[in-house]
Amino acid sequence: SRATTRSRFVAAAPTFATPRQLSGGGGALSSSSRPVAAAFHAFSVGPRDAGAGLFAHAQAVGNGRLDLGAAGPGEAGRFYQRTLPAAQVPFSSLEGRRLFREALLEGTMENYFFLAEQFRTQDEPSFCGLSTLAMVLNALRIDPMRTWKGVWRWFNEQNLGCCTGPEQVREVGLSFDMFKCLAGCNGADAVGHRAPSQVEGVA
């Protein structure tokens, strides 16, 4: 029989982003690096917002499959990063570091180290929820009781299926309730807390 260890965590809907301000740098350029530098300076410095127009709707790809992360014709590879919304604090900024130090000193940042040990970037543009959940489950040291690769049991975006699977997430995304469902059926005791509405009185 399978023994299931359930660990408790709070499911929230955070936005993780650490945009890096790019610069051309200094120093002498070799002849081989000049074309690269010229190509770099042809674009505006810093991350450019791809905009909702490119990512708001799923687009058809091969075999008629929908993909939320697919780019339209002529848009493939157009952008490097997205600009963090003004209301959010970049983790690597001075304010972000101040908040991190403050939380660390107050003892409310201990979970960061367990998550940082399991950090992974998402494999697909629409896999932010799946990647986040894989990080959390591995940080909680929950045994998935299924093979990842070779002799290893481990969580990743591809083996979280129970309520939904990676192909469905690629097509339609992952809702908050589905995220909580996936957490629960993979061994976590998840408690959902939704952000308060911006409009008072609206649920």
Side-chain angles (χ1 to χ4, degrees):
S1 63
R2 172 179 168 178
T4 302
T5 301
R6 300 185 64 82
S7 300
R8 185 181 180 88
F9 82 100
V10 175
T15 300
F16 297 99
T18 55
R20 180 179 55 185
Q21 193 68 22
L22 304 177
S23 63
L29 295 175
S30 66
S31 59
S32 61
S33 65
R34 287 195 183 98
V36 176
F40 175 82
H41 286 294
F43 300 96
S44 60
V45 176
R48 290 178 293 160
D49 197 337
L54 292 179
F55 299 105
H57 305 287
Q59 301 186 44
V61 292
N63 301 321
R65 180 171 55 84
L66 293 178
D67 189 340
L68 280 176
E75 301 289 351
R78 181 178 173 188
F79 296 97
Y80 172 52
Q81 292 182 331
R82 296 197 68 179
T83 303
L84 196 66
Q88 297 175 4
V89 179
F91 183 56
S92 59
S93 69
L94 292 177
E95 178 63 8
R97 296 174 192 221
R98 185 192 69 78
L99 291 171
F100 181 84
R101 286 194 299 270
E102 178 181 292
L104 197 61
L105 290 173
E106 292 180 356
T108 58
M109 203 64 177
E110 293 304 310
N111 58 349
Y112 167 80
F113 300 100
F114 297 96
L115 289 169
E117 286 180 340
Q118 307 301 334
F119 180 79
R120 60 178 294 125
T121 55
Q122 61 203 67
D123 292 338
E124 299 283 346
S126 57
F127 280 9
C128 49
L130 294 180
S131 298
T132 298
L133 184 56
M135 282 177 55
V136 169
L137 294 172
N138 287 327
L140 290 172
R141 299 176 182 175
I142 297 176
D143 189 339
M145 301 300 290
R146 63 181 73 101
T147 301
W148 168 54
K149 290 183 181 181
V151 300
W152 299 105
R153 299 191 303 271
W154 204 245
F155 284 109
N156 72 348
E157 294 92 335
Q158 303 298 326
N159 65 4
L160 290 169
C162 57
C163 311
T164 187
E167 291 304 316
Q168 291 80 7
V169 174
R170 182 179 284 108
E171 293 185 6
V172 300
L174 186 67
S175 70
F176 183 82
D177 290 332
M178 193 62 70
F179 180 93
K180 184 174 179 290
C181 174
L182 278 172
C185 67
N186 279 288
D189 184 7
V191 178
H193 293 274
R194 296 180 182 273
S197 172
Q198 293 182 352
V199 181
E200 187 176 353
V202 176

